[in-house]
Amino acid sequence: MTSHVDQPQSFLIRAFSVGRRPQVAFGLVIALFWLIVLTTVSIWAPYDPLEAVGTRLIAPSMTHLLGTDALGRDVFTRVLYGARESMPIAAAVIVCATVIGTLLGAVAGYAGGWVDAIVMRITDVVMAFPAILLAMAISAALGPGLRNGFIAILIVWWPIYARLVRGQVLSIKQREHVEAAISIGATRRRILQKHVMPMAITPVLVNATMDFGQVVLFLSSLSFLGLGALPPSPEWGSMITEGAKNFYQWWIAVGPGLAILTVVLGFNFLGDGLRDVLDPRSKGDK
Amino acid sequence: MSAPTSYWGSMFRFIARRLIIMPFLLFGIVTISFVISRFIPSDPLISIVGERQLNNPVVVLAAKQRWGLDKSMFGQYTSYMSNLAKGDLGISFRTKTPVVGDLIDRLPATFELAFTAMFFGTVGGVLLGVLAASRRNKIADHVSRLFALVGSSLPVFWLGLVLLYIFYARFGLMPGPGRLPPRVDAPNDITGFYLFDAILSGDFGLVWPIIQRLLLPAFALGWGLMGIISRLVRSSMLDELQADYVRTARAKGLTERVVFCKHALRNALLPVLTVLGFSIASLLTGAVLTETIFSWNGVGSYAVSATRSLDYPAINGVCILGGIVFLISNLITDVLYAYADPKIRLA
Amino acid sequence: MNSLLSIKDLHVSFGLGLETVDAVRGINLEIARGEIVGIVGESGSGKSASMLSVMRLLATTATTRGTVHFAGKELFSASSKEMRGIRGGKIGMIFQDPMTSLNPSFRIGSQIAEAIIRHQHVSTKIAVSKATDLLEVVSIPRPSESMSLFPHEMSGGMKQRVMIAMAIANDPELLIADEPTTALDVTIQAQILEVLKGLRETRNLSIVIITHDLGVVAGLADSVNVMYAGEIVESGDVEGVFYKATHPYSRGLLSCVPRLDIRESALHPIGGDPPKLSEKTPGCSFQPRCKNAIDLCETTSPTLRSSTVTGLKVSCHNPMEPSPQMSESI
């Protein structure tokens, strides 16, 4: 089928040329920004995110860049602290979902037969639910809170990777180098580890990067509905709920919304760039 | 060379195969919903009888019997399944009315919103995608791509809030949330779709206010879809424009407009059909959030109220409904795709 | 002016990043009414580019220079609207790959009818009946049933017949066939060539046939132009080129054709590669591959001149002798 020859370009050269694309650079900057905020905000943040630090519901000013909320807390500080709520959870969801999905998908795709049938029917059923409804039902059953939100999102998210990896494994299994390995009598386990998985993992990494923002978005949706984070926590979704309650004080909801937007956009771009680096065949956007 | 009869024959077999899988998927959906709803650490009794009555054994027992909570887990499951088979989803703890009736009452509102959003998303997405492809790498292309990207990256509930703030609260250009103006009665319930009902019952004064109130929520909900479709149309248009048949069409002396909008677009739209199927599920997801912001009395806001009050029959009902809608929309997508792409092997 | 199509000093170049590729480098060509002209050359020799430029169907990255007169009308200065009237109306064109040249989403009947409606402004009903007649003309079995087939339901040869039907739908005066048989099986090739030949006889159609296969033009064309690196290196009537060619490249091409009428006919592939068309060299473009090259070839580019020996036009400083063996077999 496709016997492609890799361009004789080093990883660094590709990474460099990718880095010259403005979108990828933008994605990198955003990811770095939130990473720095995430790790260091408690050192330099001007206010405490949970304490009333001023008059209630005052409009943005130099002392409170995004004003204060209904309890007199500084909205800007809370937006920054929001990264510490969503992003670790999102990272945990992505890591767990890719591990679970990759293992199950690889085994299903490689073993075939009834193993494949069972795994795929489970993913079919899970994916037949509109994701938000299933996650709502699960987190309602388990009770609100970020930990339960994490479990709910993980349950709706892993099948995506299982399917992705299974499809990859199925197509890679057909390639010449795998058939060659089979013909010289390599064990199944070794073939899967050495010949199939390294190729199957690339799209998983790309998708995981792009999905990171989507998980942040999803978590904020749950929190917005009162199912993820619990009230005093400065999670972005629940801050938007507070914004909706104080509809005319626009500054409460603007910050968290923009924060979500930048994270989703940034990791989307980053995923694009990663694909270009990892997969020299893709030309990126035309 | 296949004769028309064999085409329809294989089409029929194709649909039949999909229909056979559906009950199994439904069974899985129903079972999962049940399992979730019964693995609850919190006590649904609280939401039925209220916290103060919890110490009253008579009230608690009566409630348990009424809702079947006194049976074993397996007993609950079998009675749940047999009720389901009869089309009975139980009685909502919160509204105290049958869940099926609640859902039927609210489904038209959600569909009205979702279909309008789908219309916006599809028409807008195709237009934007074609525009971007025809002005490739020019300003219009970059702007439409940015617009698309932002649309699919925004939290829909935040977008709804911002739209309401700008167009309603700030400038008063649009009406506020809700399906109807305040203190106005709904048109006669014929289809449940207010717009159709208003037209059918001759209530033409209501048509514009109803449309107006659909615009913001449908745009909020449809923007993401518009983004997805426009990117898809753009890239598949660019692929199709490279195809040999486009040169043939030009060699026939057709105008660029016909070459673009008939020959290339027809083929470029095929992938859109698959996205439309999946979009139904994501529109329902978005509807849950959009309805909450726009006080839209549909299935989405019903689901939200149900989860807030731990109303399991209602949560189960919504999940099952969502699953059914998803299965049906997938089937429709497959059939449409098979119909639209003569090349597809109906295997 | 007697010729139907008259190409004068045609240049085509493509901008490719910073490089410009000169695909066609000043060709002249006259095609009379009812004449079948073959253009032969390797891929990349500029034969397709020159004919696509006549139709003005080149990519937007291409620039053209020179003049093309069709039935007295200069095409490069015609408006796009006039051009659209000529394309498919006065000049029909068929392409190399019938598999991809038909739109997969429309029935073949409607694709032919579309061309008819576009130029003849008739009702759909009339267009459909005309289209059915055309399928008959190109010998497609059961024309009226075949009208409702999709391209993927037909074989390659049948699709190429559909392409021909579409190209002649509006009774054009000229048909440009760009490698019409390359993608087809050998037996099917002969059938398609028969169809083309028949059209010349019944409709007095002029045909330009572009091919890399001399065998295709041998039985079909009246005259042949051999192209190399964007230039015509030898041209003349078909017999002459086949039996008396003196340009080393033409001879090389001829020795690549397996022939049954000449004994000890070992195939002699031409060594080396065609030149990079982005580079301009002072001498003859074939010189690096030419066994007959002399010093002059390196410095001065030859021009196309009539040869008194063969009656062909040839562009070579040191043409070969007409092969005695070949001449004998005339």
Side-chain angles (χ1 to χ4, degrees), chain A residues 129-136 218 221 225, chain B residues 110 114 156-157 221 278-292 300 304 322 326:
Chain A
F129 287 97
I132 191 93
L133 287 182
L134 184 58
M136 277 165 72
F218 200 90
S221 306
L225 297 172
Chain B
T110 300
V156 62
F157 46 98
L221 184 52
F278 292 117
S279 80
I280 293 176
S282 79
L283 285 176
L284 285 182
T285 300
V288 171
L289 301 158
T290 316
E291 285 180 7
T292 310
V304 173
F326 182 78

PDB file of all heavy atoms in Angstrom, chain A residues 129-136 218 221 225, chain B residues 110 114 156-157 221 278-292 300 304 322 326:
ATOM      1  N   PHE A 129     -24.670   7.528  24.275  1.00  0.00           N
ATOM      2  CA  PHE A 129     -25.240   8.583  25.107  1.00  0.00           C
ATOM      3  C   PHE A 129     -24.684   9.930  24.667  1.00  0.00           C
ATOM      4  O   PHE A 129     -23.488  10.025  24.384  1.00  0.00           O
ATOM      5  CB  PHE A 129     -24.809   8.405  26.562  1.00  0.00           C
ATOM      6  CG  PHE A 129     -25.470   7.286  27.283  1.00  0.00           C
ATOM      7  CD1 PHE A 129     -24.856   6.060  27.403  1.00  0.00           C
ATOM      8  CD2 PHE A 129     -26.712   7.472  27.870  1.00  0.00           C
ATOM      9  CE1 PHE A 129     -25.462   5.025  28.084  1.00  0.00           C
ATOM     10  CE2 PHE A 129     -27.326   6.435  28.557  1.00  0.00           C
ATOM     11  CZ  PHE A 129     -26.702   5.210  28.662  1.00  0.00           C
ATOM     12  N   PRO A 130     -25.521  10.958  24.635  1.00  0.00           N
ATOM     13  CA  PRO A 130     -24.917  12.288  24.537  1.00  0.00           C
ATOM     14  C   PRO A 130     -24.013  12.454  25.762  1.00  0.00           C
ATOM     15  O   PRO A 130     -24.442  12.221  26.892  1.00  0.00           O
ATOM     16  CB  PRO A 130     -26.110  13.225  24.596  1.00  0.00           C
ATOM     17  CG  PRO A 130     -27.254  12.399  24.108  1.00  0.00           C
ATOM     18  CD  PRO A 130     -26.977  10.998  24.558  1.00  0.00           C
ATOM     19  N   ALA A 131     -22.752  12.815  25.510  1.00  0.00           N
ATOM     20  CA  ALA A 131     -21.742  12.783  26.570  1.00  0.00           C
ATOM     21  C   ALA A 131     -22.182  13.550  27.811  1.00  0.00           C
ATOM     22  O   ALA A 131     -22.028  13.075  28.935  1.00  0.00           O
ATOM     23  CB  ALA A 131     -20.433  13.350  26.035  1.00  0.00           C
ATOM     24  N   ILE A 132     -22.749  14.731  27.600  1.00  0.00           N
ATOM     25  CA  ILE A 132     -23.049  15.560  28.770  1.00  0.00           C
ATOM     26  C   ILE A 132     -24.117  14.903  29.631  1.00  0.00           C
ATOM     27  O   ILE A 132     -24.063  14.950  30.852  1.00  0.00           O
ATOM     28  CB  ILE A 132     -23.471  16.990  28.344  1.00  0.00           C
ATOM     29  CG1 ILE A 132     -23.517  17.925  29.545  1.00  0.00           C
ATOM     30  CG2 ILE A 132     -24.829  16.995  27.697  1.00  0.00           C
ATOM     31  CD1 ILE A 132     -22.262  18.667  29.756  1.00  0.00           C
ATOM     32  N   LEU A 133     -25.107  14.254  28.980  1.00  0.00           N
ATOM     33  CA  LEU A 133     -26.173  13.623  29.759  1.00  0.00           C
ATOM     34  C   LEU A 133     -25.613  12.495  30.606  1.00  0.00           C
ATOM     35  O   LEU A 133     -25.945  12.358  31.792  1.00  0.00           O
ATOM     36  CB  LEU A 133     -27.268  13.085  28.827  1.00  0.00           C
ATOM     37  CG  LEU A 133     -28.161  14.127  28.182  1.00  0.00           C
ATOM     38  CD1 LEU A 133     -29.216  13.463  27.323  1.00  0.00           C
ATOM     39  CD2 LEU A 133     -28.844  14.960  29.262  1.00  0.00           C
ATOM     40  N   LEU A 134     -24.743  11.676  29.997  1.00  0.00           N
ATOM     41  CA  LEU A 134     -24.157  10.569  30.744  1.00  0.00           C
ATOM     42  C   LEU A 134     -23.320  11.106  31.903  1.00  0.00           C
ATOM     43  O   LEU A 134     -23.430  10.637  33.041  1.00  0.00           O
ATOM     44  CB  LEU A 134     -23.301   9.711  29.810  1.00  0.00           C
ATOM     45  CG  LEU A 134     -22.700   8.458  30.444  1.00  0.00           C
ATOM     46  CD1 LEU A 134     -23.799   7.573  31.004  1.00  0.00           C
ATOM     47  CD2 LEU A 134     -21.880   7.681  29.425  1.00  0.00           C
ATOM     48  N   ALA A 135     -22.512  12.116  31.605  1.00  0.00           N
ATOM     49  CA  ALA A 135     -21.666  12.675  32.663  1.00  0.00           C
ATOM     50  C   ALA A 135     -22.523  13.300  33.755  1.00  0.00           C
ATOM     51  O   ALA A 135     -22.218  13.197  34.947  1.00  0.00           O
ATOM     52  CB  ALA A 135     -20.712  13.708  32.077  1.00  0.00           C
ATOM     53  N   MET A 136     -23.625  13.948  33.350  1.00  0.00           N
ATOM     54  CA  MET A 136     -24.531  14.533  34.341  1.00  0.00           C
ATOM     55  C   MET A 136     -25.120  13.446  35.227  1.00  0.00           C
ATOM     56  O   MET A 136     -25.165  13.582  36.457  1.00  0.00           O
ATOM     57  CB  MET A 136     -25.677  15.272  33.634  1.00  0.00           C
ATOM     58  CG  MET A 136     -25.352  16.683  33.202  1.00  0.00           C
ATOM     59  SD  MET A 136     -26.587  17.284  32.035  1.00  0.00           S
ATOM     60  CE  MET A 136     -27.997  17.513  33.095  1.00  0.00           C
ATOM     61  N   PHE A 218     -15.414  20.753  29.017  1.00  0.00           N
ATOM     62  CA  PHE A 218     -16.442  19.827  29.483  1.00  0.00           C
ATOM     63  C   PHE A 218     -16.611  19.927  30.999  1.00  0.00           C
ATOM     64  O   PHE A 218     -17.732  19.964  31.511  1.00  0.00           O
ATOM     65  CB  PHE A 218     -16.040  18.401  29.085  1.00  0.00           C
ATOM     66  CG  PHE A 218     -17.176  17.426  29.075  1.00  0.00           C
ATOM     67  CD1 PHE A 218     -17.914  17.224  27.928  1.00  0.00           C
ATOM     68  CD2 PHE A 218     -17.483  16.695  30.205  1.00  0.00           C
ATOM     69  CE1 PHE A 218     -18.962  16.324  27.916  1.00  0.00           C
ATOM     70  CE2 PHE A 218     -18.535  15.801  30.205  1.00  0.00           C
ATOM     71  CZ  PHE A 218     -19.277  15.610  29.057  1.00  0.00           C
ATOM     72  N   SER A 221     -18.495  22.869  31.888  1.00  0.00           N
ATOM     73  CA  SER A 221     -19.919  22.709  31.628  1.00  0.00           C
ATOM     74  C   SER A 221     -20.595  22.013  32.806  1.00  0.00           C
ATOM     75  O   SER A 221     -21.671  22.415  33.253  1.00  0.00           O
ATOM     76  CB  SER A 221     -20.157  21.892  30.359  1.00  0.00           C
ATOM     77  OG  SER A 221     -19.476  22.453  29.279  1.00  0.00           O
ATOM     78  N   LEU A 225     -23.398  23.553  35.521  1.00  0.00           N
ATOM     79  CA  LEU A 225     -24.685  22.963  35.882  1.00  0.00           C
ATOM     80  C   LEU A 225     -24.740  22.604  37.366  1.00  0.00           C
ATOM     81  O   LEU A 225     -25.719  22.033  37.826  1.00  0.00           O
ATOM     82  CB  LEU A 225     -24.930  21.704  35.045  1.00  0.00           C
ATOM     83  CG  LEU A 225     -25.047  21.948  33.539  1.00  0.00           C
ATOM     84  CD1 LEU A 225     -25.085  20.639  32.785  1.00  0.00           C
ATOM     85  CD2 LEU A 225     -26.268  22.785  33.231  1.00  0.00           C
TER      86      LEU A 225
ATOM     87  N   THR B 110     -36.955  21.494  22.515  1.00  0.00           N
ATOM     88  CA  THR B 110     -35.550  21.192  22.257  1.00  0.00           C
ATOM     89  C   THR B 110     -35.290  21.005  20.768  1.00  0.00           C
ATOM     90  O   THR B 110     -34.302  21.501  20.227  1.00  0.00           O
ATOM     91  CB  THR B 110     -35.140  19.931  23.036  1.00  0.00           C
ATOM     92  OG1 THR B 110     -35.347  20.186  24.413  1.00  0.00           O
ATOM     93  CG2 THR B 110     -33.699  19.568  22.789  1.00  0.00           C
ATOM     94  N   ALA B 114     -32.772  22.902  18.480  1.00  0.00           N
ATOM     95  CA  ALA B 114     -31.663  22.162  17.871  1.00  0.00           C
ATOM     96  C   ALA B 114     -31.725  22.244  16.346  1.00  0.00           C
ATOM     97  O   ALA B 114     -30.705  22.401  15.684  1.00  0.00           O
ATOM     98  CB  ALA B 114     -31.685  20.708  18.325  1.00  0.00           C
ATOM     99  N   VAL B 156     -20.505  27.138  25.301  1.00  0.00           N
ATOM    100  CA  VAL B 156     -21.757  27.616  24.726  1.00  0.00           C
ATOM    101  C   VAL B 156     -22.587  28.385  25.750  1.00  0.00           C
ATOM    102  O   VAL B 156     -23.265  29.360  25.414  1.00  0.00           O
ATOM    103  CB  VAL B 156     -22.550  26.445  24.096  1.00  0.00           C
ATOM    104  CG1 VAL B 156     -22.920  25.409  25.122  1.00  0.00           C
ATOM    105  CG2 VAL B 156     -23.762  26.946  23.369  1.00  0.00           C
ATOM    106  N   PHE B 157     -22.487  27.990  27.033  1.00  0.00           N
ATOM    107  CA  PHE B 157     -23.289  28.697  28.038  1.00  0.00           C
ATOM    108  C   PHE B 157     -22.755  30.104  28.259  1.00  0.00           C
ATOM    109  O   PHE B 157     -23.506  31.048  28.471  1.00  0.00           O
ATOM    110  CB  PHE B 157     -23.320  27.929  29.361  1.00  0.00           C
ATOM    111  CG  PHE B 157     -21.984  27.423  29.822  1.00  0.00           C
ATOM    112  CD1 PHE B 157     -21.245  28.131  30.754  1.00  0.00           C
ATOM    113  CD2 PHE B 157     -21.475  26.238  29.338  1.00  0.00           C
ATOM    114  CE1 PHE B 157     -20.022  27.665  31.192  1.00  0.00           C
ATOM    115  CE2 PHE B 157     -20.238  25.766  29.765  1.00  0.00           C
ATOM    116  CZ  PHE B 157     -19.506  26.477  30.679  1.00  0.00           C
ATOM    117  N   LEU B 221     -25.980  28.081  19.982  1.00  0.00           N
ATOM    118  CA  LEU B 221     -25.858  26.630  19.886  1.00  0.00           C
ATOM    119  C   LEU B 221     -25.246  26.209  18.550  1.00  0.00           C
ATOM    120  O   LEU B 221     -24.529  25.220  18.465  1.00  0.00           O
ATOM    121  CB  LEU B 221     -27.250  26.012  20.065  1.00  0.00           C
ATOM    122  CG  LEU B 221     -27.378  24.496  20.109  1.00  0.00           C
ATOM    123  CD1 LEU B 221     -26.431  23.907  21.123  1.00  0.00           C
ATOM    124  CD2 LEU B 221     -28.810  24.109  20.449  1.00  0.00           C
ATOM    125  N   PHE B 278     -23.393  13.229  13.626  1.00  0.00           N
ATOM    126  CA  PHE B 278     -22.774  13.355  14.945  1.00  0.00           C
ATOM    127  C   PHE B 278     -23.194  14.657  15.608  1.00  0.00           C
ATOM    128  O   PHE B 278     -23.255  14.747  16.821  1.00  0.00           O
ATOM    129  CB  PHE B 278     -21.255  13.295  14.825  1.00  0.00           C
ATOM    130  CG  PHE B 278     -20.777  11.947  14.406  1.00  0.00           C
ATOM    131  CD1 PHE B 278     -20.103  11.774  13.216  1.00  0.00           C
ATOM    132  CD2 PHE B 278     -21.042  10.843  15.196  1.00  0.00           C
ATOM    133  CE1 PHE B 278     -19.681  10.515  12.821  1.00  0.00           C
ATOM    134  CE2 PHE B 278     -20.625   9.582  14.816  1.00  0.00           C
ATOM    135  CZ  PHE B 278     -19.945   9.413  13.620  1.00  0.00           C
ATOM    136  N   SER B 279     -23.478  15.657  14.787  1.00  0.00           N
ATOM    137  CA  SER B 279     -23.796  16.957  15.365  1.00  0.00           C
ATOM    138  C   SER B 279     -25.090  16.899  16.157  1.00  0.00           C
ATOM    139  O   SER B 279     -25.268  17.656  17.095  1.00  0.00           O
ATOM    140  CB  SER B 279     -23.907  18.005  14.275  1.00  0.00           C
ATOM    141  OG  SER B 279     -25.168  17.912  13.654  1.00  0.00           O
ATOM    142  N   ILE B 280     -25.987  15.994  15.782  1.00  0.00           N
ATOM    143  CA  ILE B 280     -27.242  15.928  16.526  1.00  0.00           C
ATOM    144  C   ILE B 280     -26.947  15.655  17.994  1.00  0.00           C
ATOM    145  O   ILE B 280     -27.501  16.290  18.890  1.00  0.00           O
ATOM    146  CB  ILE B 280     -28.167  14.858  15.918  1.00  0.00           C
ATOM    147  CG1 ILE B 280     -28.609  15.318  14.534  1.00  0.00           C
ATOM    148  CG2 ILE B 280     -29.382  14.627  16.813  1.00  0.00           C
ATOM    149  CD1 ILE B 280     -29.446  14.341  13.782  1.00  0.00           C
ATOM    150  N   ALA B 281     -26.026  14.719  18.228  1.00  0.00           N
ATOM    151  CA  ALA B 281     -25.661  14.433  19.613  1.00  0.00           C
ATOM    152  C   ALA B 281     -25.037  15.647  20.282  1.00  0.00           C
ATOM    153  O   ALA B 281     -25.374  15.975  21.423  1.00  0.00           O
ATOM    154  CB  ALA B 281     -24.699  13.257  19.657  1.00  0.00           C
ATOM    155  N   SER B 282     -24.136  16.336  19.562  1.00  0.00           N
ATOM    156  CA  SER B 282     -23.470  17.466  20.213  1.00  0.00           C
ATOM    157  C   SER B 282     -24.433  18.638  20.360  1.00  0.00           C
ATOM    158  O   SER B 282     -24.313  19.424  21.296  1.00  0.00           O
ATOM    159  CB  SER B 282     -22.213  17.866  19.445  1.00  0.00           C
ATOM    160  OG  SER B 282     -22.542  18.621  18.321  1.00  0.00           O
ATOM    161  N   LEU B 283     -25.408  18.739  19.457  1.00  0.00           N
ATOM    162  CA  LEU B 283     -26.409  19.795  19.621  1.00  0.00           C
ATOM    163  C   LEU B 283     -27.266  19.517  20.850  1.00  0.00           C
ATOM    164  O   LEU B 283     -27.628  20.439  21.587  1.00  0.00           O
ATOM    165  CB  LEU B 283     -27.300  19.889  18.382  1.00  0.00           C
ATOM    166  CG  LEU B 283     -26.680  20.543  17.155  1.00  0.00           C
ATOM    167  CD1 LEU B 283     -27.635  20.488  15.976  1.00  0.00           C
ATOM    168  CD2 LEU B 283     -26.315  21.983  17.447  1.00  0.00           C
ATOM    169  N   LEU B 284     -27.574  18.249  21.091  1.00  0.00           N
ATOM    170  CA  LEU B 284     -28.349  17.930  22.292  1.00  0.00           C
ATOM    171  C   LEU B 284     -27.537  18.267  23.532  1.00  0.00           C
ATOM    172  O   LEU B 284     -28.054  18.804  24.509  1.00  0.00           O
ATOM    173  CB  LEU B 284     -28.730  16.450  22.305  1.00  0.00           C
ATOM    174  CG  LEU B 284     -29.857  16.071  21.355  1.00  0.00           C
ATOM    175  CD1 LEU B 284     -30.180  14.598  21.480  1.00  0.00           C
ATOM    176  CD2 LEU B 284     -31.100  16.904  21.646  1.00  0.00           C
ATOM    177  N   THR B 285     -26.243  17.948  23.489  1.00  0.00           N
ATOM    178  CA  THR B 285     -25.366  18.306  24.590  1.00  0.00           C
ATOM    179  C   THR B 285     -25.410  19.811  24.823  1.00  0.00           C
ATOM    180  O   THR B 285     -25.608  20.291  25.939  1.00  0.00           O
ATOM    181  CB  THR B 285     -23.918  17.906  24.258  1.00  0.00           C
ATOM    182  OG1 THR B 285     -23.884  16.506  24.049  1.00  0.00           O
ATOM    183  CG2 THR B 285     -22.984  18.286  25.368  1.00  0.00           C
ATOM    184  N   GLY B 286     -25.242  20.546  23.712  1.00  0.00           N
ATOM    185  CA  GLY B 286     -25.254  21.998  23.816  1.00  0.00           C
ATOM    186  C   GLY B 286     -26.611  22.500  24.272  1.00  0.00           C
ATOM    187  O   GLY B 286     -26.703  23.489  25.005  1.00  0.00           O
ATOM    188  N   ALA B 287     -27.661  21.797  23.855  1.00  0.00           N
ATOM    189  CA  ALA B 287     -29.004  22.247  24.215  1.00  0.00           C
ATOM    190  C   ALA B 287     -29.183  22.239  25.727  1.00  0.00           C
ATOM    191  O   ALA B 287     -29.816  23.124  26.293  1.00  0.00           O
ATOM    192  CB  ALA B 287     -30.055  21.368  23.545  1.00  0.00           C
ATOM    193  N   VAL B 288     -28.581  21.238  26.383  1.00  0.00           N
ATOM    194  CA  VAL B 288     -28.687  21.173  27.844  1.00  0.00           C
ATOM    195  C   VAL B 288     -28.199  22.490  28.441  1.00  0.00           C
ATOM    196  O   VAL B 288     -28.837  23.068  29.334  1.00  0.00           O
ATOM    197  CB  VAL B 288     -27.845  20.002  28.371  1.00  0.00           C
ATOM    198  CG1 VAL B 288     -27.767  20.041  29.883  1.00  0.00           C
ATOM    199  CG2 VAL B 288     -28.418  18.683  27.897  1.00  0.00           C
ATOM    200  N   LEU B 289     -27.076  22.980  27.922  1.00  0.00           N
ATOM    201  CA  LEU B 289     -26.473  24.188  28.476  1.00  0.00           C
ATOM    202  C   LEU B 289     -27.180  25.441  27.984  1.00  0.00           C
ATOM    203  O   LEU B 289     -27.418  26.380  28.744  1.00  0.00           O
ATOM    204  CB  LEU B 289     -24.990  24.233  28.098  1.00  0.00           C
ATOM    205  CG  LEU B 289     -24.196  23.016  28.597  1.00  0.00           C
ATOM    206  CD1 LEU B 289     -22.932  22.821  27.798  1.00  0.00           C
ATOM    207  CD2 LEU B 289     -23.900  23.171  30.071  1.00  0.00           C
ATOM    208  N   THR B 290     -27.513  25.453  26.684  1.00  0.00           N
ATOM    209  CA  THR B 290     -28.149  26.643  26.122  1.00  0.00           C
ATOM    210  C   THR B 290     -29.521  26.871  26.744  1.00  0.00           C
ATOM    211  O   THR B 290     -29.898  27.991  27.063  1.00  0.00           O
ATOM    212  CB  THR B 290     -28.297  26.489  24.608  1.00  0.00           C
ATOM    213  OG1 THR B 290     -27.105  25.963  24.076  1.00  0.00           O
ATOM    214  CG2 THR B 290     -28.597  27.812  23.960  1.00  0.00           C
ATOM    215  N   GLU B 291     -30.266  25.790  26.919  1.00  0.00           N
ATOM    216  CA  GLU B 291     -31.606  25.922  27.494  1.00  0.00           C
ATOM    217  C   GLU B 291     -31.530  26.506  28.891  1.00  0.00           C
ATOM    218  O   GLU B 291     -32.396  27.276  29.305  1.00  0.00           O
ATOM    219  CB  GLU B 291     -32.297  24.560  27.525  1.00  0.00           C
ATOM    220  CG  GLU B 291     -32.767  24.110  26.151  1.00  0.00           C
ATOM    221  CD  GLU B 291     -33.454  22.758  26.186  1.00  0.00           C
ATOM    222  OE1 GLU B 291     -33.680  22.224  27.288  1.00  0.00           O
ATOM    223  OE2 GLU B 291     -33.759  22.241  25.101  1.00  0.00           O
ATOM    224  N   THR B 292     -30.493  26.132  29.618  1.00  0.00           N
ATOM    225  CA  THR B 292     -30.351  26.643  30.975  1.00  0.00           C
ATOM    226  C   THR B 292     -30.178  28.158  30.961  1.00  0.00           C
ATOM    227  O   THR B 292     -30.788  28.871  31.751  1.00  0.00           O
ATOM    228  CB  THR B 292     -29.135  25.991  31.651  1.00  0.00           C
ATOM    229  OG1 THR B 292     -29.235  24.587  31.464  1.00  0.00           O
ATOM    230  CG2 THR B 292     -29.086  26.302  33.108  1.00  0.00           C
ATOM    231  N   GLY B 300     -33.436  19.649  27.817  1.00  0.00           N
ATOM    232  CA  GLY B 300     -32.164  19.972  28.452  1.00  0.00           C
ATOM    233  C   GLY B 300     -32.364  20.559  29.834  1.00  0.00           C
ATOM    234  O   GLY B 300     -31.757  20.102  30.811  1.00  0.00           O
ATOM    235  N   VAL B 304     -31.430  19.096  33.590  1.00  0.00           N
ATOM    236  CA  VAL B 304     -30.669  19.810  34.613  1.00  0.00           C
ATOM    237  C   VAL B 304     -31.440  19.837  35.928  1.00  0.00           C
ATOM    238  O   VAL B 304     -30.899  19.521  36.997  1.00  0.00           O
ATOM    239  CB  VAL B 304     -30.339  21.233  34.140  1.00  0.00           C
ATOM    240  CG1 VAL B 304     -29.701  22.030  35.253  1.00  0.00           C
ATOM    241  CG2 VAL B 304     -29.417  21.173  32.931  1.00  0.00           C
ATOM    242  N   GLY B 322     -31.983  10.454  24.928  1.00  0.00           N
ATOM    243  CA  GLY B 322     -30.782  10.904  24.211  1.00  0.00           C
ATOM    244  C   GLY B 322     -30.178   9.786  23.386  1.00  0.00           C
ATOM    245  O   GLY B 322     -29.801   9.978  22.231  1.00  0.00           O
ATOM    246  N   PHE B 326     -29.815   9.623  19.366  1.00  0.00           N
ATOM    247  CA  PHE B 326     -28.504   9.416  18.768  1.00  0.00           C
ATOM    248  C   PHE B 326     -28.528   8.242  17.787  1.00  0.00           C
ATOM    249  O   PHE B 326     -28.032   8.346  16.662  1.00  0.00           O
ATOM    250  CB  PHE B 326     -27.482   9.152  19.872  1.00  0.00           C
ATOM    251  CG  PHE B 326     -26.085   8.974  19.372  1.00  0.00           C
ATOM    252  CD1 PHE B 326     -25.325  10.073  19.007  1.00  0.00           C
ATOM    253  CD2 PHE B 326     -25.534   7.711  19.254  1.00  0.00           C
ATOM    254  CE1 PHE B 326     -24.035   9.910  18.539  1.00  0.00           C
ATOM    255  CE2 PHE B 326     -24.247   7.536  18.787  1.00  0.00           C
ATOM    256  CZ  PHE B 326     -23.495   8.644  18.428  1.00  0.00           C
TER     257      PHE B 326
END
